[in-house]
Amino acid sequence: MTLLAETARRIDTLVAQTQAAGRTPSLALGIVRDGALVHLATAGDHPRPDADLQYRLGSITKTMTATLVMRERDAGRLTLDDPLERHLPGTAVGGLTLRQLLGHASGLQREPDGPWWERTGGTDLATLVAGVTTDKVGYPAWRGYHYSNLAYGLLGGVLERVTGTPWARLLTERVLDPLGLRRTTYRATEPYARGYVVHPWHDTLREEPRTDTGAMAPAGQLWSTVTDLARWAAFLADPTDEVLAADTLTEMCTPVMLNDLDSWRGGHGLGLELYRDGDRVYVGHGGSMPGYVAALTVHRPSRTAVVGFANSYGFRTGHIGGLSRQLLTLVLDAEPTPVVPWRPAAAPPPAELAELTGRWWWMGIEYEVRADPAGDLWAGRPGEPTLRFTRTGPDRWRGRSGEEDSEVLAVLRDPDGRAVGLDIGTFVFTRTPDQEP
């Protein structure tokens, strides 16, 4: 699958304009559709970008750390409402929960003790834990959104204590290797772009240090490429159970906190940022480390994403996340997801399923129920069957979408065994409006 020539031209032009206006040594943006990198737009030649050139991921690392936490939750080794103290004792903030830390809802301050951790050699876990005193909490949990790098350093410590495996090795074994992310590494591996600060007055470059951030690595250590980040974006759009269950990834995309109470354009789930663009919601994360910025933006319903890197640090290139969202909207508007053609069913549904289909009524409102080839029921207003129900037992179904998600549908039968009602969470639907209780 490739982009239309006009779409690709517009993307290339925007990337070139951004690189020039932002005075960025090199800039690379990749477009992902249906699991594949379909277009690479690059600009700048210091160094000349390609899909295999490493840059630093920065805080996009957090999306992988959060995935590891959710894996451990699914395996039953922790719960999201466990207090930090249960798995990582010794801090003065042990009552904060893993959920609060994942969603930046803990009130924990942004950075650990000591000099700027991103630009200096990191400490070990024991030193990090000892530095987390009560004055690191700015306000009570759930009062508001406050981004915290420190929270993810602590979550990395939780993972090490729960699994007995260092974070970097755990990540490689559980995420990077299964997804084939061979060029996503703890340390820079050639070829990689050096990171710079651009002087504001005479356009010279100052190379930034490439630090080992130690116990804070789970918050922003990793290096990656456009190719690998595209694979990670494809996973976030359509996960594989080998790494994380699809329902769990959807849970990660559920808002924990809004970070923008005035316009509701942004929020945070469990390790993933949420961005609202018109009627669409994108998920992903931004990233920055001294000398680098990065972007990951995914539209899950269409399996479309934009990933990108630049190797300079500062305000002019810090809007790479905004550029990635702009490009994603451009692609979705210019090239909507192809409509899947309707095809007739190979055979009618079983009799016990077929008898539940057709028109039903509740409070004078008409609904319709359809059966799909997989054996699920779909219900909704005529022409809008958006509510899915999956069978869980004889005459019992469980809602799996929309406003009836998790609700129980029970079939009501008359003495002759005929289905005469559908009880959905105590709301009874009948075959005609005259039969309503």
Side-chain angles (χ1 to χ4, degrees):
M1 182 178 183
T2 58
L3 297 180
L4 298 174
E6 176 59 18
T7 307
R9 185 195 66 78
R10 291 173 64 190
I11 290 169
D12 291 344
T13 299
L14 281 169
V15 170
Q17 290 171 341
T18 300
Q19 186 272 337
R23 300 181 305 157
T24 305
S26 69
L27 179 64
L29 276 295
I31 312 299
V32 184
R33 300 210 85 171
D34 292 327
L37 180 64
V38 298
H39 185 74
L40 176 65
T42 66
D45 57 8
H46 200 86
R48 188 175 300 280
D50 62 45
D52 191 52
L53 183 68
Q54 272 193 343
Y55 296 79
R56 206 154 195 183
L57 274 180
S59 288
I60 294 174
T61 301
K62 292 180 175 71
T63 66
M64 299 182 181
T65 297
T67 297
L68 290 173
V69 173
M70 299 304 288
R71 278 181 60 104
E72 294 306 301
R73 192 285 306 272
D74 287 357
R77 287 185 278 270
L78 55 82
T79 76
L80 297 187
D81 295 315
D82 285 348
L84 177 63
E85 184 75 14
R86 182 171 300 171
H87 304 291
L88 189 64
T91 74
V93 298
L96 299 176
T97 69
L98 305 187
R99 187 188 306 275
Q100 292 162 356
L101 296 172
L102 283 166
H104 300 293
S106 67
L108 200 61
Q109 290 186 353
R110 188 179 63 238
E111 312 297 0
D113 274 355
W116 185 14
W117 67 273
E118 294 178 344
R119 212 166 179 268
T120 55
T123 61
D124 60 17
L125 182 58
T127 304
L128 178 68
V129 168
V132 183
T133 55
T134 53
D135 62 1
K136 279 296 180 184
V137 178
Y139 46 73
W142 299 119
R143 176 176 292 182
Y145 173 87
H146 187 73
Y147 190 87
S148 177
N149 288 307
L150 175 57
Y152 274 76
L154 298 176
L155 287 168
V158 168
L159 287 166
E160 293 197 8
R161 295 290 174 83
V162 168
T163 66
T165 304
W167 172 83
R169 194 171 87 208
L170 189 70
L171 180 71
T172 299
E173 293 173 354
R174 305 285 177 84
V175 174
L176 303 183
D177 283 352
L179 293 178
L181 305 185
R182 308 299 182 202
R183 289 277 289 148
T184 301
T185 56
Y186 188 92
R187 292 179 176 82
T189 306
E190 294 284 10
Y192 66 89
R194 276 61 181 169
Y196 302 101
V197 170
V198 180
H199 195 283
W201 311 131
H202 48 65
D203 287 350
T204 57
L205 301 179
R206 183 187 76 220
E207 187 172 346
E208 287 294 281
R210 295 175 289 279
T211 53
D212 180 340
T213 56
M216 286 295 292
Q221 172 70 29
L222 296 177
W223 297 74
S224 192
T225 66
V226 170
T227 295
D228 272 15
L229 193 53
R231 288 176 181 158
W232 182 240
F235 165 79
L236 294 179
D238 188 13
T240 169
D241 285 344
E242 183 183 3
V243 174
L244 197 67
D247 286 348
T248 301
L249 187 47
T250 298
E251 182 182 356
M252 293 174 68
C253 299
T254 301
V256 172
M257 294 293 286
L258 291 174
N259 59 18
D260 171 15
L261 294 179
D262 294 325
S263 61
W264 291 26
R265 297 186 64 84
H268 212 286
L270 296 168
L272 289 168
E273 293 177 341
L274 312 174
Y275 321 101
R276 184 170 64 83
D277 187 292
D279 292 334
R280 300 184 181 113
V281 175
Y282 303 151
V283 304
H285 215 289
S288 69
M289 288 291 279
Y292 302 92
V293 290
L296 165 68
T297 310
V298 183
H299 185 240
R300 299 190 73 216
S302 67
R303 302 176 68 219
T304 307
V306 175
V307 300
F309 296 102
N311 64 332
S312 62
Y313 188 79
F315 176 78
R316 289 177 179 241
T317 52
H319 67 287
I320 189 173
L323 175 63
S324 73
R325 294 190 287 276
Q326 180 184 4
L327 295 183
L328 183 51
T329 299
L330 186 161
V331 171
L332 293 175
D333 287 346
E335 302 187 28
T337 304
V339 176
V340 178
W342 174 85
R343 292 185 175 87
E352 66 271 19
L353 190 60
E355 70 169 332
L356 304 182
T357 62
R359 295 286 191 266
W360 294 86
W361 294 82
W362 176 77
M363 299 295 288
I365 302 172
E366 185 180 20
Y367 289 79
E368 65 182 22
V369 175
R370 298 176 179 272
D372 71 13
D376 287 347
L377 290 176
W378 289 83
R381 301 291 293 276
E384 301 175 359
T386 58
L387 308 176
R388 182 169 69 96
F389 294 86
T390 300
R391 188 197 300 269
T392 59
D395 282 345
R396 289 182 70 83
W397 303 71
R398 179 74 71 172
R400 298 301 185 195
S401 67
E403 62 185 6
E404 302 301 344
D405 189 17
S406 84
E407 297 290 344
V408 172
L409 183 157
V411 181
L412 306 179
R413 298 187 179 275
D414 66 13
D416 296 324
R418 291 174 298 196
V420 294
L422 303 178
D423 182 332
I424 305 177
T426 76
F427 297 169
V428 176
F429 293 69
T430 56
R431 275 300 188 185
T432 75
D434 298 324
Q435 293 173 316
E436 290 189 275

